[in-house]
Amino acid sequence: MDQKGYRRGSFQSSTSDEDMLEIAGASLDFSVADDDPPLDREMGGFSSYNGGGMNGTSTMMDFLEEPLPGVGTYEDFNTIDWVREKSRDRDRHREITSRSKESTWALIHSVSDAFSGWLLMLLIGLLAGSLAGLIDISAHWMTDLKEGVCLAGFWFNHEHCCWKSNTTFTDRDVCPEWKSWSQLILGYGEGAFAYILNYFMYVVWALLFSLLAVLLVKGFAPYACGSGIPEIKTILSGFIIRGYLGKWTLIIKTITLVLAVSSGLSLGKEGPLVHVACCCGNILCHLFTKYRKNEAKRREVLSAAAAAGVSVAFGAPIGGVLFSLEEVSYYFPLKTLWRSFFAALVAAFTLRSINPFGNSRLVLFYVEFHMPWHLLELVPFILLGIFGGLWGAFFIRSNIAWCRRRKTTKLGKYPVLEVFVVTAITAILAFPNEYTRMSTSELISELFNDCGILDSSKLCEYVNDFNSTKGDDLPDRAAGPGVYTAMWQLALALIMKVFITIFTFGMKVPSGLFIPSMAVGAIAGRLLGVAVEQLAYYHHDWAIFSGWCSQGADCITPGLYAMVGAAACLGGVTRMTVSLVVIMFELTGGLEYIVPLMAAAMTSKWVADAIGREGIYDAHIRLNGYPFLEAKEEFSHKTLAMDVMRPRRNDPPLTVITQDSMTVEDVETIVNDTTYSGYPVVVSRESQRLVGFVLRRDLIISIENARKKQDGIVSTSIIYFTDHSPPLPPSSPSMLKLRSILDLSPFTVTDQTPMEIVVDIFRKLGLRQCLVTHNGKLLGIITKKDVLKHIAQLANQDPDSILFN
């Protein structure tokens, strides 16, 4: 049955750019069965407007015959009705399919409509990949700018500057074209004064970049701060945050992300790249009517865009798709899976074409290991998993406590000062230690690296015995003085990263958490890896080593331990498992290391879950009071719908609208006196039999338009939601028919329905509200916010922490 009445009750506005930023959304594809009773929907068009009172003969078309701007749209900080959005899209699709048989042009339109989703994915992949390449190149250059400048061209970073130099391989980082600030200003680069000048310039550039970032965010796009993933999770679950995915947010986030990363703060660009990709997806939806006018369809696009964001962040297309599925998306149908895969593929291909690092790799810390691991090494891998879980739980509790303090004290009123102080402390502590002075991505790359013969890093300064080398493989060797120096420097770097990241994440600059978490784990892993390597070298006759690690063999790969530690810490903070392992596998290109990664990821999740159930993103969602209904958590309490619904006992009765006995003035009074987002429509106040549900926004817009465009509509005009006008005296003013904005199939439950079923309905259908009946009569209403407050109350949390109305 073609539900014409329902479709025409959900009009779409041709939104402006800012209006379309109200994106949100997710729900299951809930279909209203075709064999539903008619409920007056079988009419071929709109009923005529009977303007002459009872049985009047003057006929007018319903003024809502033409779509009104705003009807069927949503206000800011509201939840979307996914059932209505999906119904709308099915009606649109049925109409296009039926018309495609009528003419060639209609057939072409049908084909283009079907192809538009793939074209949109192509555009998102191209734009996200291009922006990621621009961010990578810019951040690399500006990070090096803190230490010096290239005379051959100031736009070259240190590595590119030295490419054309004739220096030897061992001196590849020291070339005449690259000058440190002391060499440029003083003419020499050695000595105490040169060191102090370089130190001073490093701190000045760091402060300049971070201050510019926070001022741009504060002045032009407040939503550009943070990682963006908690808000995107909330948006994909059906909440509207107007402006969060707009053009200004995209522009400012792209610029300030480069500045924040270049400043040397303990943050990464990977999380914010997901936000950037989702902004690209949201803005490109303008080009296609199907996605511009339907929030449910647009949510599918954003899920795919999130996958493209992770794809370019880590050079891991498959990991990106799994990240969107596991961590971000609320609803992920098979069609979205395919399109996410395509968008991630295009984005990765685009970034590879740009080649931002000049090494044909998508990320700076891509590595390849070839040595097999031994079963006994699972013990240190699991220890790294335990460390990752403990660090994750510690970080989440500490960071949430600090962010709550920021929100509830005067600290939150001075975001610029906070960024200034944290950047100054970070830069002053970072410069003396070469492992904190370099960018975090370069640090991770150094820690992941497996030492070769030509490596000049201090981490590779072993005592060489070239008589025992076999080809390119180097045996386990005794650590030289450089390794021991690197160990204590890394230990200091670990302590600094652990604590400074707590205060950095959540400041008013774009800040991702993936890279700092991986850095903490990689440092811990490298330290443990070198320790195990030296133990195996000096005690190869011990029982645990004798079977598989003979003298002169290459048994232990410290870089692998760094990689496993990075995965463990990232898993402890975010609670990712499958997508994390695939991302790390794509980073290393080694299938044989999947088991160590899985062991570490699962151990870190178990340990972290034992201390606190929430990952960092869910904790920030709760801290900010976003109405996010977690699909992974089970509701196990024995409460009923009547315990949660409003009105409660001793509350005023439920505000309702009658179907054919209230005047325009009566309805306007109700709207002005209450703040509810919608009202149940009943047959009469006495019977309380339910007819449908009407949205506040649709009511306001419809009445305003009727007053302007329809003659005879006054305050005493009767509003009716039935098919035929009610019997009234001939002298009555014109009546206003608003049946077309009435939802005739609101979701209802009885007052004895267990709340676990109600919660399941809200999760799986993406409902805004559910009406409660008793013996067929309307009793109350349960909104998504009521469900969230009830869950918070049962968990001994503050139910008023759900901030948004």
Side-chain angles (χ1 to χ4, degrees):
M1 180 185 71
D2 198 3
Q3 299 179 28
K4 295 182 174 63
Y6 195 94
R7 181 176 69 252
R8 289 177 172 81
S10 308
F11 289 119
Q12 325 227 0
S13 61
S14 67
T15 51
S16 69
D17 183 57
E18 291 305 317
D19 284 340
M20 89 47 95
L21 306 175
E22 61 191 36
I23 319 302
S27 79
L28 289 183
D29 187 344
F30 174 68
S31 304
V32 180
D34 282 350
D35 57 355
D36 277 353
L39 285 176
D40 302 312
R41 297 187 196 179
E42 294 176 332
M43 299 155 55
F46 279 98
S47 299
S48 59
Y49 166 72
N50 191 343
M54 183 180 71
N55 302 323
T57 55
S58 62
T59 302
M60 290 173 59
M61 294 305 291
D62 189 330
F63 82 98
L64 284 176
E65 178 113 16
E66 293 300 319
L68 288 177
V71 171
T73 60
Y74 305 91
E75 293 178 340
D76 202 7
F77 300 127
N78 268 266
T79 305
I80 284 172
D81 187 344
W82 291 116
V83 176
R84 179 169 76 167
E85 295 295 311
K86 297 298 287 183
S87 175
R88 235 188 230 174
D89 184 61
R90 281 193 303 275
D91 288 343
R92 184 198 61 80
H93 183 68
R94 274 196 292 264
E95 190 175 346
I96 290 174
T97 306
S98 62
R99 284 182 181 174
S100 65
K101 300 169 186 174
E102 297 171 5
S103 67
T104 308
W105 176 249
L107 180 62
I108 293 169
H109 179 242
S110 174
V111 171
S112 68
D113 181 77
F115 180 68
S116 62
W118 295 103
L119 180 59
L120 181 55
M121 294 304 121
L122 176 70
L123 295 174
I124 289 169
L126 290 170
L127 185 54
S130 303
L131 286 175
L134 177 68
I135 289 167
D136 284 339
I137 292 167
S138 305
H140 202 174
W141 170 65
M142 290 175 69
T143 301
D144 287 349
L145 195 62
K146 291 185 299 183
E147 296 186 29
V149 70
C150 184
L151 298 182
F154 73 91
W155 55 88
F156 289 122
N157 62 41
H158 193 169
E159 184 182 353
H160 292 173
C161 186
C162 295
W163 272 358
K164 295 179 182 178
S165 178
N166 294 323
T167 52
T168 61
F169 185 80
T170 51
D171 294 329
R172 61 191 180 277
D173 289 334
V174 183
C175 61
E177 289 86 357
W178 180 265
K179 299 289 185 185
S180 68
W181 291 111
S182 62
Q183 289 173 325
L184 202 64
I185 297 168
L186 301 175
Y188 57 90
E190 302 297 327
F193 193 61
Y195 180 83
I196 292 168
L197 181 63
N198 284 331
Y199 201 152
F200 175 75
M201 291 301 294
Y202 181 91
V203 175
V204 167
W205 279 111
L207 290 172
L208 180 66
F209 291 155
S210 62
L211 283 176
L212 192 54
V214 71
L215 290 171
L216 284 171
V217 167
K218 189 181 177 187
F220 295 96
Y223 283 148
C225 67
S227 80
I229 291 178
E231 287 76 12
I232 286 166
K233 281 188 75 165
T234 309
I235 285 169
L236 290 179
S237 76
F239 194 55
I240 297 167
I241 307 179
R242 213 183 282 271
Y244 198 81
L245 300 173
K247 59 180 183 294
W248 273 111
T249 306
L250 174 64
I251 293 166
I252 298 301
K253 185 115 186 180
T254 304
I255 296 168
T256 54
L257 179 55
V258 173
L259 291 166
V261 171
S262 305
S263 70
L265 285 166
S266 184
L267 48 82
K269 64 182 185 308
E270 280 62 24
L273 273 174
V274 176
H275 187 185
V276 166
C278 286
C279 288
C280 295
N282 183 43
I283 291 165
L284 288 169
C285 281
H286 269 310
L287 304 175
F288 303 91
T289 310
K290 175 165 74 171
Y291 296 102
R292 183 175 71 244
K293 293 188 174 183
N294 192 291
E295 300 294 349
K297 298 298 292 179
R298 209 169 348 176
R299 178 260 302 126
E300 293 177 14
V301 172
L302 296 180
S303 290
V310 175
S311 172
V312 292
F314 288 105
I318 301 170
V321 175
L322 292 174
F323 174 81
S324 181
L325 172 62
E326 181 183 2
E327 189 63 28
V328 180
S329 297
Y330 194 80
Y331 167 57
F332 205 81
L334 195 59
K335 181 168 61 176
T336 304
L337 178 72
W338 298 334
R339 288 183 176 170
S340 300
F341 184 75
F342 180 62
L345 166 72
V346 174
F349 175 77
T350 305
L351 187 61
R352 170 65 182 79
S353 303
I354 294 170
N355 195 14
F357 302 110
N359 59 359
S360 301
R361 302 298 183 193
L362 300 183
V363 284
L364 198 58
F365 41 86
Y366 182 91
V367 287
E368 284 184 355
F369 299 130
H370 301 290
M371 290 305 301
W373 58 278
H374 194 268
L375 191 64
L376 287 172
E377 287 185 278
L378 275 179
V379 175
F381 293 153
I382 288 171
L383 287 175
L384 286 172
I386 293 170
F387 171 78
L390 293 171
W391 143 252
F394 165 74
F395 174 81
I396 291 167
R397 289 199 175 184
S398 306
N399 180 252
I400 292 298
W402 179 253
C403 289
R404 184 174 288 114
R405 185 177 182 83
R406 183 188 289 128
K407 288 174 83 77
T408 55
T409 62
K410 289 184 178 180
L411 179 65
K413 297 178 182 177
Y414 305 103
V416 178
L417 181 63
E418 183 189 9
V419 170
F420 180 88
V421 171
V422 172
T423 307
I425 293 170
T426 304
I428 289 166
L429 293 177
F431 187 84
N433 187 340
E434 66 176 283
Y435 292 110
T436 50
R437 188 191 316 162
M438 64 175 68
S439 75
T440 316
S441 294
E442 288 175 352
L443 170 62
I444 293 171
S445 177
E446 185 107 334
L447 294 167
F448 281 7
N449 184 40
D450 188 20
C451 290
I453 296 171
L454 296 175
D455 278 313
S456 58
S457 165
K458 278 199 290 188
L459 279 170
C460 296
E461 280 190 26
Y462 289 90
V463 178
N464 286 314
D465 178 10
F466 288 107
N467 294 326
S468 58
T469 57
K470 298 172 184 176
D472 292 333
D473 289 335
L474 291 172
D476 289 346
R477 297 158 291 167
V483 175
Y484 288 115
T485 304
M487 290 300 100
W488 71 259
Q489 285 184 329
L490 282 175
L492 291 175
L494 177 64
I495 295 167
M496 178 190 158
K497 292 279 183 189
V498 162
F499 290 102
I500 206 74
T501 308
I502 291 168
F503 301 100
T504 306
F505 187 70
M507 292 196 307
K508 298 302 177 188
V509 291
S511 53
L513 196 56
F514 283 27
I515 289 294
S517 302
M518 288 175 69
V520 167
I523 294 170
R526 188 77 187 206
L527 291 171
L528 182 62
V530 172
V532 173
E533 182 188 46
Q534 294 306 299
L535 198 65
Y537 176 78
Y538 286 110
H539 303 284
H540 55 83
D541 52 344
W542 283 9
I544 55 171
F545 298 120
S546 59
W548 57 283
C549 191
S550 58
Q551 189 172 12
D554 184 11
C555 312
I556 310 296
T557 308
L560 173 60
Y561 284 71
M563 189 181 78
V564 171
C569 281
L570 186 52
V573 171
T574 63
R575 310 297 161 86
M576 293 173 0
T577 50
V578 181
S579 55
L580 172 63
V581 170
V582 174
I583 286 170
M584 298 304 292
F585 150 63
E586 288 187 87
L587 276 178
T588 56
L591 270 170
E592 58 202 285
Y593 304 115
I594 281 184
V595 173
L597 289 170
M598 289 172 72
M602 281 311 304
T603 307
S604 71
K605 179 172 169 57
W606 286 333
V607 171
D609 280 348
I611 300 171
R613 295 288 297 172
E614 290 179 321
I616 187 66
Y617 301 129
D618 295 327
H620 272 272
I621 285 171
R622 190 162 58 81
L623 177 70
N624 292 325
Y626 298 138
F628 180 76
L629 199 53
E630 179 57 71
K632 299 169 190 171
E633 297 292 328
E634 286 190 15
F635 185 89
S636 56
H637 301 278
K638 292 185 177 180
T639 49
L640 301 175
M642 63 186 295
D643 302 324
V644 181
M645 73 173 194
R646 288 179 297 164
R648 308 278 170 83
R649 283 178 187 158
N650 304 321
D651 283 356
L654 186 67
T655 304
V656 296
I657 295 174
T658 56
Q659 68 173 356
D660 57 7
S661 60
M662 294 181 76
T663 63
V664 170
E665 186 178 23
D666 294 336
V667 172
E668 286 179 332
T669 302
I670 286 176
V671 169
N672 292 331
D673 290 350
T674 61
T675 56
Y676 307 130
S677 58
Y679 306 93
V681 177
V682 295
V683 174
S684 66
R685 292 189 185 279
E686 293 74 31
S687 73
Q688 290 289 309
R689 278 184 52 222
L690 184 65
V691 176
F693 193 84
V694 64
L695 294 178
R696 171 199 187 88
R697 184 181 175 88
D698 292 354
L699 264 180
I700 293 170
I701 293 170
S702 303
I703 292 172
E704 282 179 0
N705 274 273
R707 282 186 180 276
K708 291 175 187 173
K709 298 180 180 177
Q710 207 169 322
D711 293 333
I713 298 297
V714 292
S715 295
T716 54
S717 298
I718 294 291
I719 291 178
Y720 67 100
F721 295 91
T722 54
D723 260 338
H724 306 290
S725 58
L728 290 173
S731 58
S732 300
S734 297
M735 289 185 288
L736 176 57
K737 180 181 179 182
L738 294 182
R739 185 176 180 81
S740 52
I741 64 169
L742 181 66
D743 178 3
L744 289 162
S745 55
F747 210 96
T748 58
V749 296
T750 67
D751 56 340
Q752 296 300 310
T753 307
M755 269 308 291
E756 58 186 324
I757 294 176
V758 176
V759 171
D760 230 20
I761 290 168
F762 270 89
R763 281 175 180 157
K764 292 180 178 175
L765 299 185
L767 296 182
R768 299 180 74 181
Q769 71 279 317
C770 178
L771 299 174
V772 183
T773 59
H774 176 73
N775 293 339
K777 292 185 177 181
L778 179 66
L779 201 63
I781 186 170
I782 299 174
T783 63
K784 188 175 182 180
K785 190 174 174 182
D786 294 328
V787 173
L788 288 161
K789 281 187 171 183
H790 182 63
I791 291 172
Q793 210 165 6
L794 292 173
N796 296 319
Q797 296 165 359
D798 178 16
D800 293 323
S801 62
I802 310 300
L803 301 178
F804 293 99
N805 293 320

